[in-house]
Amino acid sequence: MTEPMEGEEIPRSIVYLAPHEGESISHYLGRWFRQDVVQADSFSVGGRLRLGKILLRWEKFYFNPPPSSTEIAKLAKLIDLETEQLMQMFPPEGESIDPHPIRLCAACYGEAPYHRMQWQWQSIDRCDRHRLILLTKCPGHKCAAPFPIPSEWPTGKCQKCGMSYRKMVKYQKPG
Ligand SMILES: [Zn+2]
Ligand SMILES: [Zn+2]
């Protein structure tokens, strides 16, 4: 009777935050740091692990030099993720990344509001699911603000004109 049910969650640390499918490391780190429990404890990843500068680089999608297995293992331990789960938020080996501009498929964002790692692949300029060209800046009237790094996407709105990312779908060209 008291046996664990299938699919029951494994006990996790209080700082555990489940990643979304295909979520980019930058977007995930932003969500992770904004958790109440992390904020309240002034949980200092940089101080504890000397990963501070490295995390900042990853938030900006600077992967040169690429993340080392030691760095990945340290971060995985701290945030209570499996190494494989964490690795999935980085680009796959051999896939080049464009750190600028930050790109967006507003149709994807409307379904689930987070930045996908794939949008920054150098080899990709469209969303295959929606057959739309990715946006590279705000399409708002006379705005054209670049998208901030995804760790700074708490509101999902353009910081200059206020247009919500999900509404930008009507400006996406078919591709
Ligand atoms: Zn899409
Ligand atoms: Zn704008």
Side-chain angles (χ1 to χ4, degrees):
M1 288 299 226
T2 54
E3 275 176 31
M5 303 278 290
E6 203 178 323
E8 199 171 326
E9 285 193 16
I10 315 156
R12 290 286 192 170
S13 136
I14 51 164
V15 298
Y16 172 75
L17 181 68
H20 301 307
E21 197 181 338
E23 185 172 14
S24 68
I25 185 67
S26 178
H27 193 270
Y28 179 82
L29 287 174
R31 288 200 301 129
W32 192 88
F33 279 109
R34 283 192 298 273
Q35 292 185 100
D36 286 346
V37 59
V38 175
Q39 294 281 334
D41 285 0
S42 35
F43 209 95
S44 165
V45 179
R48 284 191 188 206
L49 293 173
R50 297 174 196 277
L51 275 176
K53 276 187 187 155
I54 295 169
L55 292 182
L56 206 62
R57 274 207 349 250
W58 295 348
E59 282 182 45
K60 293 176 178 169
F61 298 128
Y62 296 160
F63 297 130
N64 195 10
S68 75
S69 48
T70 315
E71 291 162 355
I72 294 283
K74 274 187 181 176
L75 181 61
K77 187 158 183 256
L78 178 87
I79 64 180
D80 192 25
L81 283 188
E82 307 298 328
T83 314
E84 297 73 38
Q85 275 182 301
L86 183 55
M87 291 294 288
Q88 278 169 20
M89 290 187 273
F90 288 87
E93 214 173 313
E95 197 63 58
S96 299
I97 292 301
D98 277 336
H100 321 282
I102 299 297
R103 301 173 189 147
L104 166 74
C105 173
C108 283
Y109 197 87
E111 290 167 9
Y114 61 92
H115 178 267
R116 275 67 160 176
M117 191 62 249
Q118 252 193 7
W119 296 342
Q120 299 306 129
W121 292 14
Q122 224 169 58
S123 58
I124 282 187
D125 68 351
R126 71 200 59 235
C127 169
D128 278 342
R129 262 164 53 74
H130 296 106
R131 297 177 186 280
L132 293 170
I133 303 288
L134 298 174
L135 294 167
T136 54
K137 57 183 188 255
C138 175
H141 183 59
K142 291 183 179 171
C143 182
F147 297 117
I149 55 171
S151 60
E152 293 166 9
W153 282 18
T155 59
K157 285 181 182 169
C158 174
Q159 291 172 343
K160 194 172 160 197
C161 74
M163 187 190 292
S164 76
Y165 290 172
R166 62 184 69 224
K167 285 194 181 154
M168 293 177 184
V169 66
K170 59 179 178 230
Y171 298 96
Q172 268 179 283
K173 296 191 174 70

